[in-house]
Amino acid sequence: MSSRRAPRPAVATHNAQRPSPWRASRERLRDREVKREAVIRAAAHAFNRKGYHNTSLDDIAAALEVTKPTVYYYVTSKEQLLFQCFVAGVEQIRAAFREVKRLNVPARERLKAVLRHYGEAVASEFGWCMVRAEDQDLSPAMSGHIKALKSEIDQGIRRLIRDGIQDGSILPCDPKMTAFALAGALNWIAHWYRENQSMTGAQIAEVFVTVFENGLRPRASAAEGSTRGSARRRARQPAAALAR
Amino acid sequence: MSSRRAPRPAVATHNAQRPSPWRASRERLRDREVKREAVIRAAAHAFNRKGYHNTSLDDIAAALEVTKPTVYYYVTSKEQLLFQCFVAGVEQIRAAFREVKRLNVPARERLKAVLRHYGEAVASEFGWCMVRAEDQDLSPAMSGHIKALKSEIDQGIRRLIRDGIQDGSILPCDPKMTAFALAGALNWIAHWYRENQSMTGAQIAEVFVTVFENGLRPRASAAEGSTRGSARRRARQPAAALAR
DNA sequence: CATCGATCATACTGATGGGTAGTAATCCTA
DNA sequence: TAGGATTACTACCCATCAGTATGATCGATG
């Protein structure tokens, strides 16, 4: 009941995916910024796998094949590390909003584009930090920054929903609650998605967006896409499969 | 940067909502089960507010106006405490599935009923524990139990979706991904919902279910419910509101 | 080659918090 | 009211871990 944390790898095994810039060449590298980013990335990776509280700075240092003071040479605190990971993830979403502003299509299409990027970001390496970083783990100042960024995104989604209702491309609904539902479904991807799974983040986001768009209830208009004509077959019958 | 945890209340202030069974009467109470449940509930409340790792057993004991060894008299470890909270929450959802089995309506209606209860459970006091308890915080044994329970619920939702596609009450879709989307949106409620908010858990679940059912795209059939006739107004126009 | 500044490791501190040993108070029963 | 069982508290142990003091090492530069 004490050794639930995975034994820290003695020399960072199978980490070949992104080799440490330190051990890349035998000598120390000059590039401070490269190394700083490597620290952030290693932290995100570790948080992603073991959670914030179960990751020690020694773990992160070990993954980079350096020691803890070296990590502290590039960041000021563990908290700041988490914050940096968060920002890295959120920035992807903010970029999506900026990009979409230029599109000249109904708001529902713009919303879909944003949600696709959103899903990709959440499935990325920084997804965990974006989504599972809790206010309680951070100082009030950091927490405030994060809340502001999250709120910006939330408000952006709500606005797209409102615009969509305006231009008729989205069914009238409560923008706030609908934004919560959409963002929640996408955020949750970070809880179950692991890399080298069958689907990429983009593919998942695509499927989700389609579900949101169409809804569960079959549509009356038969001339819709290729949804296998004979829906509504056996409707209203007491389902046979229920008994078991 | 050290005192980010809220100062523990000296004598458990404003906890009148559910008074400690210890201090209820001046003498000790006999009822072991009542007190055990009070410990679980206090833990859930604390986890809910401050997170698992930021809650010490001293905190929980203080909330009950007892000391740490007293808490250990009723539970064997902090981990087990989290597990109990989890089970308490999940049981509500399992009950919903059992209840719904008796309904003789299309699968979409049964799914809706389950999701309503699901949303209520997630918005309840145990929502946090159900949803945010991470595998990494638990021993492999506990983690296994929890995964099994979660999987049972997941499979139940997928089955309802499949049944709905069968009986024509649900639009053909990928049951797995759709279940992830629905459960994710509802799970996320635990991240933002706080009690004494304007809406109850049931109301939120109701709104969410409606969104899922209808989808975002306006429906062609105008004879649907009371969705304010003139949707599709201004459709396909480059939205005027876009410029700003 | 001497020196300076940047970079990194060894070895520590201080605090937190899960968990426990031993004991005291209380209750129930006879 | 004696005495065992139950229930609770005081005081402690010890592992973990964020963060740091200090000094070694390396590369560049003159």
Side-chain angles (χ1 to χ4, degrees), chain A residues 125-140:
Chain A
E125 202 158 23
F126 298 111
W128 190 96
C129 302
M130 283 174 50
V131 151
R132 300 172 80 155
E134 314 203 28
D135 304 345
Q136 303 115 357
D137 301 333
L138 298 167
S139 67

mmCIF file of all heavy atoms in Angstrom, chain A residues 125-140:
data_model
loop_
_atom_site.group_PDB
_atom_site.id
_atom_site.type_symbol
_atom_site.label_atom_id
_atom_site.label_comp_id
_atom_site.label_asym_id
_atom_site.label_seq_id
_atom_site.Cartn_x
_atom_site.Cartn_y
_atom_site.Cartn_z
ATOM 1 N N GLU A 125 -0.499 16.039 -25.674
ATOM 2 C CA GLU A 125 0.292 15.766 -24.478
ATOM 3 C C GLU A 125 -0.063 16.718 -23.339
ATOM 4 O O GLU A 125 0.098 16.397 -22.177
ATOM 5 C CB GLU A 125 1.779 15.914 -24.831
ATOM 6 C CG GLU A 125 2.691 15.182 -23.902
ATOM 7 C CD GLU A 125 4.018 14.904 -24.569
ATOM 8 O OE1 GLU A 125 4.345 15.631 -25.518
ATOM 9 O OE2 GLU A 125 4.711 13.965 -24.148
ATOM 10 N N PHE A 126 -0.554 17.888 -23.690
ATOM 11 C CA PHE A 126 -0.864 18.867 -22.658
ATOM 12 C C PHE A 126 -2.310 18.788 -22.200
ATOM 13 O O PHE A 126 -2.760 19.596 -21.393
ATOM 14 C CB PHE A 126 -0.563 20.283 -23.169
ATOM 15 C CG PHE A 126 0.886 20.484 -23.511
ATOM 16 C CD1 PHE A 126 1.281 20.639 -24.825
ATOM 17 C CD2 PHE A 126 1.839 20.498 -22.518
ATOM 18 C CE1 PHE A 126 2.620 20.822 -25.131
ATOM 19 C CE2 PHE A 126 3.168 20.677 -22.815
ATOM 20 C CZ PHE A 126 3.564 20.846 -24.134
ATOM 21 N N GLY A 127 -3.047 17.848 -22.768
ATOM 22 C CA GLY A 127 -4.469 17.758 -22.443
ATOM 23 C C GLY A 127 -4.705 17.600 -20.949
ATOM 24 O O GLY A 127 -5.535 18.292 -20.372
ATOM 25 N N TRP A 128 -3.948 16.729 -20.349
ATOM 26 C CA TRP A 128 -4.160 16.505 -18.925
ATOM 27 C C TRP A 128 -4.020 17.805 -18.142
ATOM 28 O O TRP A 128 -4.850 18.157 -17.311
ATOM 29 C CB TRP A 128 -3.148 15.484 -18.409
ATOM 30 C CG TRP A 128 -3.450 15.024 -17.023
ATOM 31 C CD1 TRP A 128 -4.131 13.902 -16.667
ATOM 32 C CD2 TRP A 128 -3.106 15.692 -15.799
ATOM 33 N NE1 TRP A 128 -4.228 13.831 -15.306
ATOM 34 C CE2 TRP A 128 -3.605 14.911 -14.743
ATOM 35 C CE3 TRP A 128 -2.428 16.870 -15.503
ATOM 36 C CZ2 TRP A 128 -3.465 15.266 -13.417
ATOM 37 C CZ3 TRP A 128 -2.287 17.228 -14.173
ATOM 38 C CH2 TRP A 128 -2.799 16.427 -13.149
ATOM 39 N N CYS A 129 -2.966 18.516 -18.427
ATOM 40 C CA CYS A 129 -2.698 19.731 -17.674
ATOM 41 C C CYS A 129 -3.785 20.769 -17.880
ATOM 42 O O CYS A 129 -4.163 21.495 -16.961
ATOM 43 C CB CYS A 129 -1.349 20.314 -18.084
ATOM 44 S SG CYS A 129 0.010 19.168 -17.846
ATOM 45 N N MET A 130 -4.301 20.848 -19.076
ATOM 46 C CA MET A 130 -5.359 21.812 -19.360
ATOM 47 C C MET A 130 -6.610 21.500 -18.570
ATOM 48 O O MET A 130 -7.329 22.380 -18.125
ATOM 49 C CB MET A 130 -5.744 21.741 -20.828
ATOM 50 C CG MET A 130 -4.803 22.395 -21.765
ATOM 51 S SD MET A 130 -5.380 22.032 -23.412
ATOM 52 C CE MET A 130 -7.102 22.480 -23.270
ATOM 53 N N VAL A 131 -6.870 20.231 -18.470
ATOM 54 C CA VAL A 131 -8.204 19.799 -18.101
ATOM 55 C C VAL A 131 -8.267 19.362 -16.640
ATOM 56 O O VAL A 131 -9.250 19.589 -15.964
ATOM 57 C CB VAL A 131 -8.598 18.648 -19.042
ATOM 58 C CG1 VAL A 131 -9.551 17.691 -18.389
ATOM 59 C CG2 VAL A 131 -9.192 19.231 -20.304
ATOM 60 N N ARG A 132 -7.208 18.750 -16.169
ATOM 61 C CA ARG A 132 -7.280 18.180 -14.839
ATOM 62 C C ARG A 132 -6.520 18.993 -13.812
ATOM 63 O O ARG A 132 -6.497 18.638 -12.640
ATOM 64 C CB ARG A 132 -6.759 16.747 -14.874
ATOM 65 C CG ARG A 132 -7.591 15.913 -15.820
ATOM 66 C CD ARG A 132 -7.018 14.555 -16.037
ATOM 67 N NE ARG A 132 -7.335 13.627 -14.955
ATOM 68 C CZ ARG A 132 -7.366 12.318 -15.126
ATOM 69 N NH1 ARG A 132 -7.151 11.794 -16.300
ATOM 70 N NH2 ARG A 132 -7.626 11.529 -14.129
ATOM 71 N N ALA A 133 -5.868 20.042 -14.235
ATOM 72 C CA ALA A 133 -5.231 20.906 -13.258
ATOM 73 C C ALA A 133 -6.331 21.565 -12.439
ATOM 74 O O ALA A 133 -7.178 22.272 -12.972
ATOM 75 C CB ALA A 133 -4.374 21.959 -13.957
ATOM 76 N N GLU A 134 -6.291 21.321 -11.167
ATOM 77 C CA GLU A 134 -7.354 21.839 -10.312
ATOM 78 C C GLU A 134 -6.930 23.149 -9.674
ATOM 79 O O GLU A 134 -5.770 23.355 -9.356
ATOM 80 C CB GLU A 134 -7.674 20.830 -9.221
ATOM 81 C CG GLU A 134 -7.811 19.438 -9.765
ATOM 82 C CD GLU A 134 -8.644 18.583 -8.846
ATOM 83 O OE1 GLU A 134 -9.498 19.140 -8.152
ATOM 84 O OE2 GLU A 134 -8.434 17.365 -8.818
ATOM 85 N N ASP A 135 -7.899 23.994 -9.479
ATOM 86 C CA ASP A 135 -7.638 25.267 -8.832
ATOM 87 C C ASP A 135 -6.943 25.057 -7.500
ATOM 88 O O ASP A 135 -6.038 25.790 -7.116
ATOM 89 C CB ASP A 135 -8.955 26.000 -8.566
ATOM 90 C CG ASP A 135 -9.750 26.192 -9.825
ATOM 91 O OD1 ASP A 135 -9.173 26.032 -10.903
ATOM 92 O OD2 ASP A 135 -10.944 26.499 -9.724
ATOM 93 N N GLN A 136 -7.377 24.010 -6.812
ATOM 94 C CA GLN A 136 -6.887 23.817 -5.445
ATOM 95 C C GLN A 136 -5.399 23.519 -5.398
ATOM 96 O O GLN A 136 -4.789 23.627 -4.341
ATOM 97 C CB GLN A 136 -7.650 22.672 -4.783
ATOM 98 C CG GLN A 136 -9.137 22.879 -4.773
ATOM 99 C CD GLN A 136 -9.847 21.852 -5.619
ATOM 100 O OE1 GLN A 136 -9.219 21.030 -6.242
ATOM 101 N NE2 GLN A 136 -11.164 21.930 -5.657
ATOM 102 N N ASP A 137 -4.840 23.113 -6.510
ATOM 103 C CA ASP A 137 -3.421 22.796 -6.509
ATOM 104 C C ASP A 137 -2.564 24.021 -6.742
ATOM 105 O O ASP A 137 -1.339 23.934 -6.673
ATOM 106 C CB ASP A 137 -3.113 21.771 -7.611
ATOM 107 C CG ASP A 137 -3.907 20.502 -7.415
ATOM 108 O OD1 ASP A 137 -4.262 20.207 -6.272
ATOM 109 O OD2 ASP A 137 -4.172 19.805 -8.405
ATOM 110 N N LEU A 138 -3.201 25.130 -7.022
ATOM 111 C CA LEU A 138 -2.426 26.297 -7.423
ATOM 112 C C LEU A 138 -2.642 27.465 -6.482
ATOM 113 O O LEU A 138 -3.684 27.566 -5.815
ATOM 114 C CB LEU A 138 -2.828 26.713 -8.843
ATOM 115 C CG LEU A 138 -2.553 25.651 -9.915
ATOM 116 C CD1 LEU A 138 -3.264 26.000 -11.204
ATOM 117 C CD2 LEU A 138 -1.063 25.546 -10.145
ATOM 118 N N SER A 139 -1.672 28.339 -6.458
ATOM 119 C CA SER A 139 -1.812 29.540 -5.655
ATOM 120 C C SER A 139 -2.917 30.402 -6.252
ATOM 121 O O SER A 139 -3.248 30.287 -7.434
ATOM 122 C CB SER A 139 -0.497 30.315 -5.661
ATOM 123 O OG SER A 139 -0.247 30.809 -6.962
ATOM 124 N N PRO A 140 -3.485 31.273 -5.468
ATOM 125 C CA PRO A 140 -4.573 32.113 -5.963
ATOM 126 C C PRO A 140 -4.198 32.872 -7.229
ATOM 127 O O PRO A 140 -5.021 33.006 -8.144
ATOM 128 C CB PRO A 140 -4.822 33.072 -4.791
ATOM 129 C CG PRO A 140 -4.397 32.304 -3.593
ATOM 130 C CD PRO A 140 -3.232 31.463 -4.041
#
